[in-house]
Each structure stands twice: as C-alpha cells, then as structure tokens.
Amino acid sequence: MIEAAKYYEIMEEPFRALCPDKSGFMNFGLWPAPTLQAAQGALVQATLDALQTRCQAPTRILEAGSGWGASRALVARKFPAASYVGVNFSRNQVEHARRSNSAVRGTRYVESAIEALTLEALDGPLDALFAVEAAIHFDKAKFLGKAAAWGVRALALARKAGRPVKMVMSREEVMRASGPTSGSSSTVKIGAKKDGTIVAAQGTWYLQAGAF
C-alpha cells in the first residue's frame, strides 16, 4: 500500500494534466472511444452496469479507490436512491472529491487504505462495492480475508431474508473453506500398523509468521 501511495503522489498531477478539461477520472478508459474523457467515463459506466446485474437496487455503495470524485455523478445517475461512500488513500484526491461533490446529497469520502476500513469508519454497513483500476493495489488477504470464502454467502442470505444473518462454522469447515494462512514448510512422519491404526506421529513446521 505504501508503494501504491508513492506511485499516486508522483503520478496524480501528470496524469491529470493529460486529461481533457480536468475530467476528474483516474483511469485509462474503455476503448475504442472518441476521446480519453469519453473512454474514462465509459469504463466507470461499464463497471456500474456490471454492478447492477449483481445488485439491482443498492441502498449504500462503496467505491474503493474513488479518485478525484468524477464517478460520483455516474453513480447518482445509475442508482439515484443510493447513498455513496468513496474511499481513497490520497489526501489530495479525497479533498478534491469532497469539494467537487459537496452539493450531492448522500455523499461521503473517507481517507483510508481499503484494508483498514471498519464499519465504524464507514458509519454503517454497505450492500454494494465497486472499484475501477484500483483493486490491483489492494492487499487481498487483508481486504477480503475469510469473507472471500463464505462471507458472501451470508450476505446473499441476508439480502434474501431482509434481516441480518449469522453464519456459524465448525473448525473443520473453517479449515476447509477459508483462508488465507501463512506460508509454511512441513515435514510429517506417521507410524501405523498394518490394519491402519496410527501408533506414532512426528512433525516439524516452519511458518512465515513474521515478527509477531
């Protein structure tokens, strides 16, 4: 994340200088298109179209990597009833997005790395999320964690039921269905009788657990 932040500190002004009329987008666009600005808007629009196929009527949308704030208008046009939270780790971009969209109701911007977000920081739950040319910078393990495996199922059930859903897993189910875990090297020896009865076991494990 630090490397990505440094990249944007270096590139954000030169990139904006390339954009016609300071379009406010921070992406390379969906081509072919007549202009860069049109291509940039088309990419955001295509992303929102894909989001709508998964979530017909979201009430609160999170944009991860919200850039200079130009996508807010497209979100409002596509989902007029939904409130919006934009998250970005660039202070310059967050401040610009806040100024640009100060008159748009139901809009909030948070200066944060996506992996560090909590429901408290977001002032509540969300039911839709999208990112345009930003996910490459996410630490997938910290951002998705075990939710990538089974949290989405709880979300689907909650939408269907119209109420919160609690998902309880056994230890075996957690080990089978979730992740991530540390890198490791393991050596295991098992002694057994001819009938398959285990009578001895020896193991050595080296885990990449870091300083903690």
Side-chain angles (χ1 to χ4, degrees), residues 150-159 163 165-167:
W150 49 266
V152 291
R153 293 170 174 79
L155 175 59
L157 290 170
R159 284 179 178 166
R163 56 184 297 179
V165 170
K166 181 178 180 180
M167 196 164 189

Side-chain angles (χ1 to χ4, degrees), residues 8-59:
Y8 277 104
E9 286 177 5
I10 295 170
M11 291 300 297
E12 61 184 16
E13 288 302 331
F15 191 92
R16 286 197 76 200
L18 293 173
C19 298
D21 303 320
K22 295 191 175 183
S23 66
F25 292 109
M26 193 74 178
N27 68 67
F28 289 99
L30 179 64
W31 300 89
T35 65
L36 174 59
Q37 184 175 9
Q40 290 173 322
L43 180 58
V44 176
Q45 189 62 58
T47 303
L48 296 177
D49 289 345
L51 177 64
Q52 190 176 43
T53 64
R54 295 174 175 270
C55 188
Q56 295 292 321
T59 58

Side-chain angles (χ1 to χ4, degrees), residues 61-115:
I61 300 172
L62 170 70
E63 180 181 9
S66 49
W68 298 96
S71 56
R72 177 61 182 114
L74 297 181
V75 173
R77 194 177 306 147
K78 188 73 173 179
F79 305 106
S83 60
Y84 167 96
V85 181
V87 178
N88 203 325
F89 56 69
S90 168
R91 177 166 297 178
N92 288 339
Q93 293 179 27
V94 167
E95 290 177 351
H96 184 277
R98 285 172 177 162
R99 291 193 300 270
S100 300
N101 295 289
S102 60
V104 184
R105 295 181 61 184
T107 302
R108 183 164 182 261
Y109 286 95
V110 178
E111 180 189 342
S112 173
I114 190 71
E115 299 87 348

Side-chain angles (χ1 to χ4, degrees), residues 129-153:
L129 178 150
F130 75 98
V132 179
E133 292 185 3
I136 189 174
H137 299 304
F138 301 166
D139 184 326
K140 308 303 188 298
K142 293 180 180 178
F143 174 49
L144 294 175
K146 295 182 178 180
W150 49 266
V152 291
R153 293 170 174 79

